[in-house]
Structures are given as structure tokens and as C-alpha cells.
Amino acid sequence: MLSDPNYAGNIIVSLANLPEFLRTPILKKRLIEFFSMSLSDKLEIVNNALQAGPTIPFDKFAKLFKTWLQILCTLSEEQRMIMFTTYINEIIENPQKIILFNLDGILEVYLSLNQVEKDVISKSVKKITDILDDNKKKRLLLTIPNRAKVELGI
């Protein structure tokens, strides 16, 4: 259904090319839709996003990623937990999917958020990592650069 020519990936690439005043409301609508999807559709969206991300020029990806984080900060803790848990579990199971990402650049995008936004994001990520079993936590921590662990408090 959604993966016919990487539907989510195409949306991500298109969103990355939009100016902020268009990107933000469209991305927010897509994020809200995510929470009403079945688990298999959520996983497909996450997989497609992880595939598409490294194919986007980093300057455009950074704008999109920052907008995504800022929108997530406006959603409920439960919604952030669902979103981050879906991504984190996929990364734990398939750590090779983030190899092509500019992780230092992604950290810089996170650091460019205001302090309230950084606190909201780090609180959610920390909550998820705290409930992971030891094996999953170890696998996740192996994929995260040390500076990011410090900044996120994990």
C-alpha cells in the first residue's frame, strides 16, 4: 500500500524542499495521521523515512528534521513516545539504517532548538531508553555518538 514507490519517502523529499510556512502545517498533518495508523503502517513509514533521509541534501534535511522536532514538542508526551519508540525500536533492530545519516549534523540540529524544546525531546528519549531492557539499551547506545548521549542525558 504505502510502499508503492516509497510513498513516505517521496513525501519526505517533497517536504524537505518546501519553505517553512508550507512545510510546518503539512508535516504536522502527516504526523497526526501517523498516530491513527496501524502498527505495520507506522513501521513502513519509519522504514521509508530512514531510507529517504540520507538521500536528501543535508541542508534541506536539517530544516525538515528541525521542523519535525519542533512539531513533536507541541504534541502530547504519549504521541512523542509512540513516535520515538517506533524509530528507536527500528534502529535497535536494524542499526545499519542510520549509518548513512550525518549523526553529528543531526545532533547540531537538536542543539539548535530552544531550551524548552530540547528539554521536551530529551525527556521523552530518556524515558524510552530507561524502560528498554539491558540488551536493547546496549544496542541502542552503541549506535549513538557519545556527545549525543551526553546532550540527551542518556
Side-chain angles (χ1 to χ4, degrees), residues 70-94:
Q70 289 171 322
I71 293 169
L72 283 174
C73 288
T74 68
L75 302 179
S76 72
E77 175 71 13
E78 178 185 357
Q79 290 171 315
R80 274 190 306 281
M81 295 291 287
I82 290 167
M83 181 66 71
F84 288 141
T85 298
T86 307
Y87 273 91
I88 287 171
N89 284 335
E90 187 58 33
I91 291 166
I92 288 169
E93 294 303 315
N94 301 288

Side-chain angles (χ1 to χ4, degrees), residues 72-73 77 80 115-124:
L72 283 174
C73 288
E77 175 71 13
R80 274 190 306 281
Q115 192 58 51
V116 172
E117 292 167 335
K118 287 190 286 191
D119 290 346
V120 167
I121 298 298
S122 65
K123 177 184 170 197
S124 296

Side-chain angles (χ1 to χ4, degrees), residues 84 88 121-130 152 154:
F84 288 141
I88 287 171
I121 298 298
S122 65
K123 177 184 170 197
S124 296
V125 172
K126 184 166 177 19
K127 197 181 237 186
I128 294 166
T129 59
D130 286 347
L152 289 168
I154 55 173

Side-chain angles (χ1 to χ4, degrees), residues 63 66 78 94-95 103 106 125 141:
K63 290 177 197 172
K66 185 172 185 174
E78 178 185 357
N94 301 288
L103 296 180
I106 289 173
V125 172
L141 293 177

Side-chain angles (χ1 to χ4, degrees), residues 2-17 48 52 56:
L2 291 175
S3 63
D4 297 317
N6 193 350
Y7 177 75
N10 292 338
I11 290 172
I12 291 166
V13 171
S14 296
L15 281 172
N17 288 307
N48 289 341
I56 302 168

Side-chain angles (χ1 to χ4, degrees), residues 19-87:
E20 184 177 351
F21 76 93
L22 293 174
R23 181 175 56 246
T24 299
I26 294 170
L27 185 54
K28 185 166 190 166
K29 183 178 185 280
R30 293 289 177 195
L31 283 174
I32 299 301
E33 289 172 3
F34 178 85
F35 302 111
S36 64
M37 293 178 174
S38 69
L39 179 59
S40 64
D41 284 346
K42 287 177 186 169
L43 290 172
E44 189 168 351
I45 294 293
V46 166
N47 278 309
N48 289 341
L50 289 171
Q51 276 182 327
T55 68
I56 302 168
F58 190 76
D59 61 325
K60 295 196 182 300
F61 175 83
K63 290 177 197 172
L64 180 62
F65 185 65
K66 185 172 185 174
T67 303
W68 183 75
L69 290 175
Q70 289 171 322
I71 293 169
L72 283 174
C73 288
T74 68
L75 302 179
S76 72
E77 175 71 13
E78 178 185 357
Q79 290 171 315
R80 274 190 306 281
M81 295 291 287
I82 290 167
M83 181 66 71
F84 288 141
T85 298
T86 307
Y87 273 91

